[in-house]
């Protein structure tokens, strides 16, 4: 319980900071959006469900992530825990198979052997790190793809679909002389009647 409180405190502090920054950035983004579109009246309302869900998910994930090191710490013998580096009692020594395979071709330098041994000695930590990096890459990829999709959508809409410069709304009439007159103006390439 003592070590799990560290995870809970980290999750609660991160949630509080995230909610505060999220509210500030949401208000800022709403103001920019309203100013850009010229919306005169903007009403903001805090929805409690998303922040509460975020706090619950953050605390649960942090507790699950902290459970493995907390259980390992609780299982350690007091004599091992009093060593200079208690983590050394939990890892196995030896040369990993990758390094042994490399030695068939060449002797790897120490700058390569130490990271390889660290990866294979603490396998759980390696898997957690790989999962964290993978999830971070997925989040970055999703954000980048959303940006690219919106940029492509706007580019197609305003460079290929809507290629007109002026939209003139006239009184309804069946007289085609107006179209002929407007099409004779300098700079007008085409005139297209529409029915709204």
């Amino acid at each position: 319980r003592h070590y799990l409180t560290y995870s809970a405190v980290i999750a609660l502090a991160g949630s509080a900071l995230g909610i505060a920054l999220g509210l500030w950035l949401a208000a800022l983004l709403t103001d920019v959006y309203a100013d850009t579109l010229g919306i005169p009246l903007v009403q903001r309302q805090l929805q409690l469900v998303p922040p509460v869900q975020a706090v619950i998910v953050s605390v649960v994930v942090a507790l699950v992530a902290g459970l493995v090191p907390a259980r390992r710490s609780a299982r350690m013998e007091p004599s091992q825990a009093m060593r200079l580096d208690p983590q050394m009692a939990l890892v196995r020594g030896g040369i990993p198979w990758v390094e042994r395979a490399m030695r068939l071709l060449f002797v790897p330098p120490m700058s390569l052997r130490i990271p390889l041994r660290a990866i294979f000695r603490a396998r759980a930590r390696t898997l957690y790190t790989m999962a964290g990096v993978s999830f971070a890459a997925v989040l970055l990829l999703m954000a980048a793809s959303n940006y690219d999709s919106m940029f492509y959508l706007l580019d197609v809409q305003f460079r290929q679909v809507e290629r007109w410069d002026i939209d003139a709304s006239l009184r309804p009439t069946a007289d085609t002389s107006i179209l002929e007159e407007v099409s004779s103006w300098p700079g007008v390439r085409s005139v297209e009647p529409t029915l709204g």
Side-chain angles (χ1 to χ4, degrees):
R1 286 195 305 262
H2 173 73
Y3 287 111
L4 285 178
T5 54
Y6 287 114
S7 298
V9 166
I10 289 171
L12 290 173
S15 297
L17 181 63
I19 289 171
L21 284 173
L23 291 174
W24 176 69
L25 286 173
L28 182 68
L29 186 62
T30 303
D31 290 341
V32 168
Y33 187 74
D35 288 343
T36 301
L37 295 180
I39 300 173
L41 181 62
V42 177
Q43 181 180 1
R44 293 189 197 98
Q45 182 180 2
L46 175 63
Q47 302 289 329
L48 289 178
V49 175
V52 169
Q53 287 175 339
V55 170
I56 291 171
V57 169
S58 298
V59 170
V60 168
V61 168
L63 289 177
V64 169
L67 190 62
V68 173
R71 288 185 70 195
R72 279 191 179 176
S73 298
R75 288 180 180 175
M76 288 179 65
E77 295 292 330
S79 61
Q80 292 177 345
M82 293 169 52
R83 289 184 183 175
L84 185 61
D85 185 6
Q87 184 67 20
M88 293 303 293
L90 300 175
V91 297
R92 296 184 301 271
I95 299 172
W97 63 270
V98 174
E99 185 179 339
R100 285 196 300 268
M102 291 172 116
R103 286 187 183 203
L104 296 174
L105 301 173
F106 66 97
V107 178
M110 188 63 72
S111 60
L112 183 61
R113 282 186 279 175
I114 290 175
L116 278 175
R117 290 178 184 181
I119 288 171
F120 284 95
R121 284 182 182 165
R123 291 183 182 133
R125 181 183 63 198
T126 301
L127 291 175
Y128 294 148
T129 303
M130 287 170 58
V133 170
S134 299
F135 290 142
V138 167
L139 286 175
L140 287 173
L141 186 63
M142 287 175 54
S145 66
N146 284 339
Y147 174 78
D148 288 345
S149 299
M150 288 301 297
F151 186 78
Y152 177 74
L153 177 86
L154 292 172
D155 186 58
V156 167
Q157 181 68 28
F158 293 111
R159 290 188 188 221
Q160 297 177 22
V161 177
E162 296 186 21
R163 297 180 57 93
W164 46 270
D165 295 322
I166 297 174
D167 182 14
S169 299
L170 305 174
R171 290 191 310 271
T173 180
D175 190 5
T176 59
S177 63
I178 296 176
L179 295 176
E180 293 169 1
E181 180 187 346
V182 171
S183 63
S184 66
W185 291 350
V188 175
R189 292 183 183 172
S190 67
V191 177
E192 182 179 328
T194 60
L195 176 65

